[in-house]
Amino acid sequence: MDEAELDTLPKLGAPATRALHGAGYTSLRQLAGVARTDLATLHGMGPKALGILTEALRRHGLSLR
């Protein structure tokens, strides 16, 4: 596993990326332990983006709450 992946966000659609940046999240590592429901309320964050984030975290032994 590439630890550098934790320092960036995975490839997401532009609206989801903007939503995460707007909420202050710029790396995958910052999302570990964040409530899935909190992310889901961000404008531009849909089920597909949440799935990508969940899978990316899982590959590193991390998860959303």
Side-chain angles (χ1 to χ4, degrees):
M1 265 176 277
D2 185 3
E3 285 295 313
E5 287 179 15
L6 289 171
D7 295 328
T8 60
L9 290 170
K11 179 87 169 131
L12 301 169
T17 300
R18 279 194 302 273
L20 289 171
H21 285 174
Y25 299 111
T26 57
S27 72
L28 186 59
R29 162 183 338 269
Q30 292 173 307
L31 295 172
V34 173
R36 183 181 181 92
T37 54
D38 289 346
L39 292 179
T41 64
L42 297 176
H43 182 73
M45 183 63 59
K48 182 176 178 181
L50 285 169
I52 292 169
L53 292 172
T54 299
E55 178 58 24
L57 286 166
R58 186 198 62 75
R59 286 195 307 268
H60 292 280
L62 302 170
S63 65
L64 296 173
R65 184 167 39 91

